[in-house]
């Protein structure tokens, strides 16, 4: 039984580590805005119209899925993660710190749903995986079209960071 408990503890620590690592990414994304956007606080209760979607929603969904998968893949180089994060250059040191974390090396994400909120924004539903096993299912984040690339939002990264209880400058 000691082996089962220890294995359970390892899994729990891996999940907490993964949440800490992944939380930093979305949290940082939402905190880097600094612009005059409304942050999504004035959304309508009506479903988005066709005008609220990008010109090619199929291609946009494919790019969002590809970019989110790469961003949360521990094998993706930091330079690429910077490119896939909204205002990523500002958070490069944080992303670099995650790259050396052993718990982060076991963490990935699987996109399970995408709903466009505008031609340049989307709500993303995803599962956080540790060692390929779902640890946090049905997580919600956002993707932003910035410089012609669909990116993980800083808001998403900062939200994950908040779950870990860690305070990160910029969130």
């Amino acid at each position: 039984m000691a082996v089962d408990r220890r294995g359970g503890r390892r899994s729990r620590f891996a999940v907490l580590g993964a949440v800490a690592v992944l939380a930093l990414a979305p949290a940082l994304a939402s905190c880097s805005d600094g612009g005059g956007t409304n942050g999504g606080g004035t959304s309508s209760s009506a479903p988005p119209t066709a005008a609220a979607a990008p010109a090619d929603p199929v291609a946009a969904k494919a790019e969002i899925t590809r970019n989110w998968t790469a961003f949360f893949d521990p094998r993706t180089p930091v330079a690429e993660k910077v490119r896939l994060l909204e205002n990523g250059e500002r958070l490069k040191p944080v992303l670099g710190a995650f790259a050396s974390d052993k718990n982060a090396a076991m963490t990935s994400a699987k996109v399970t749903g995408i709903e466009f909120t505008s031609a340049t924004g989307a709500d993303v539903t995803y599962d956080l995986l540790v060692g390929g096993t779902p640890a946090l299912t049905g997580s919600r984040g956002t993707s932003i079209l910035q410089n012609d690339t669909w990116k993980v939002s800083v808001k998403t990264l900062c939200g994950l960071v908040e779950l870990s209880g860690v305070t990160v400058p910029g969130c």
Side-chain angles (χ1 to χ4, degrees), residues 61 64-66 68-69 109-114 124-127:
K61 283 184 178 187
I64 291 168
T65 300
R66 189 172 50 251
W68 272 61
T69 301
K110 178 182 177 186
V111 173
T112 59
I114 298 169
V124 179
T125 305
Y126 63 100
D127 293 341

Side-chain angles (χ1 to χ4, degrees), residues 24 28 78 82 85 87-100 168-169:
L24 281 177
L28 295 174
V78 172
V82 166
L85 177 64
N87 301 327
E89 196 61 42
R90 292 175 56 187
L91 301 170
K92 187 175 182 177
V94 174
L95 296 174
F98 283 131
S100 63
V168 174

Side-chain angles (χ1 to χ4, degrees), residues 21-171:
V21 169
L22 294 180
L24 281 177
L28 295 174
S30 68
C31 301
S32 68
D33 184 4
T37 62
N38 67 16
T42 60
S43 64
S44 164
S45 60
T49 63
D56 188 346
V58 173
K61 283 184 178 187
E63 182 180 349
I64 291 168
T65 300
R66 189 172 50 251
N67 291 351
W68 272 61
T69 301
F71 180 80
F72 288 102
D73 185 333
R75 298 168 299 196
T76 299
V78 172
E80 180 67 5
K81 289 181 186 243
V82 166
R83 190 184 73 75
L84 297 174
L85 177 64
E86 175 191 17
N87 301 327
E89 196 61 42
R90 292 175 56 187
L91 301 170
K92 187 175 182 177
V94 174
L95 296 174
F98 283 131
S100 63
D101 184 274
K102 66 179 181 178
N103 290 319
M106 300 182 331
T107 306
S108 61
K110 178 182 177 186
V111 173
T112 59
I114 298 169
E115 291 186 30
F116 292 103
T117 56
S118 71
T120 60
D123 289 334
V124 179
T125 305
Y126 63 100
D127 293 341
L128 189 59
L129 311 172
V130 176
T133 302
L136 291 175
T137 58
S139 298
R140 307 228 5 142
T142 56
S143 188
I144 305 294
L145 183 63
Q146 184 180 57
N147 300 325
D148 295 322
T149 300
W150 283 98
K151 301 181 178 192
V152 174
S153 71
V154 173
K155 180 180 179 180
T156 301
L157 184 59
C158 287
L160 287 173
V161 172
E162 287 177 15
L163 286 176
S164 71
V166 174
T167 301
V168 174
C171 283

